[in-house]
Amino acid sequence: MGDYFQTIVDTEISEADAVPMAARVVEWLVAEGVVGPDRTEPVLGGGPGYPPGPRHRAVVDSGGWSEPWQAGGLEVVTTRTVFDAGQYAEPSGADCPRCGKTTEFRDEETWDDIPGAWDPFAVAEQAWLAGTDAPVRCAHCRAESPLTDWTGMDSAFAYGSLGFTFWGWPELTPRFLAEFGLRLDKHRTAHVHGKI
Ligand SMILES: [Zn+2]
């Protein structure tokens, strides 16, 4: 199960605040025994991560996992990133933060891409990765909203400047996720998971 992963993304934090916030959260995780203090654990496609700590089993639901299982590292990213659920994960639509209506990217029946539907998001994504807060105009209400405020894409990816990826851990418990959210100053978060 080493290629299974889940990422907690802070979708509100600025890049400037991401590094100090990451340090505070890691300090808390180390104090709780969820991870070890030094980046010694190799993680897929990234720098070394934090190893699982002595109490990491307390924050997961390992009911469906056969023993013995071995959790991997915690990778912490503090730059603008599209945190995805695997390279083939695609959202079916996105929800406007103003009117709540969904912009569909695929035809519900044929599952084909709807021509042009994703284009404004693709443009905004490139601009956002380059450091600007490119808005996307809603096709329903015509209001413009920052790309990062659109919701409903968590099953495929989330945009954010701070992400914590747990590699090979069973499902994190709702209680731990709630506590994690408090530690992120109650910022809006997304929980992306997948396999590669
Ligand atoms: Zn709208």
Side-chain angles (χ1 to χ4, degrees):
M1 296 293 278
D3 54 0
Y4 173 79
F5 63 93
Q6 50 200 315
T7 305
I8 299 169
V9 182
D10 183 330
T11 62
E12 280 192 272
I13 200 163
S14 70
E15 273 190 293
D17 292 338
V19 170
M21 175 69 88
R24 285 203 299 277
V25 171
V26 168
E27 190 177 349
W28 164 63
L29 292 172
V30 171
E32 292 288 320
V34 177
V35 299
D38 300 312
R39 294 190 187 214
T40 55
E41 190 81 12
V43 292
L44 277 174
Y50 298 93
R55 294 190 61 249
H56 73 281
R57 285 179 172 246
V59 302
V60 298
D61 175 6
S62 60
W65 290 47
S66 52
E67 298 287 349
W69 54 267
Q70 175 63 50
L74 166 64
E75 181 182 11
V76 183
V77 171
T78 54
T79 54
R80 289 191 181 209
T81 302
V82 184
F83 293 95
D84 66 53
Q87 71 186 114
Y88 300 113
E90 291 181 23
S92 58
D95 302 329
C96 171
R98 289 287 198 85
C99 71
K101 289 189 178 153
T102 303
T103 295
E104 304 283 356
F105 301 137
R106 291 161 173 245
D107 186 292
E108 274 180 39
E109 289 177 7
T110 64
W111 207 235
D112 288 334
D113 289 345
I114 296 173
W118 174 250
D119 292 354
F121 292 85
V123 170
E125 180 177 292
Q126 289 309 309
W128 179 77
L129 285 170
T132 63
D133 287 316
V136 177
R137 184 183 297 280
C138 175
H140 300 289
C141 70
R142 309 303 296 167
E144 289 193 329
S145 302
L147 174 66
T148 50
D149 286 355
W150 287 74
T151 58
M153 295 183 277
D154 291 21
S155 61
F157 48 68
Y159 301 105
S161 297
L162 177 58
F164 300 85
T165 300
F166 295 81
W167 286 96
W169 294 45
E171 193 83 17
L172 300 168
T173 64
R175 182 178 172 170
F176 178 67
L177 291 172
E179 177 70 17
F180 211 109
L182 293 179
R183 298 284 165 171
L184 293 171
D185 289 349
K186 300 183 185 175
H187 288 166
R188 201 172 53 237
T189 57
H191 188 205
V192 177
H193 40 111
K195 261 183 144 180
I196 57 172

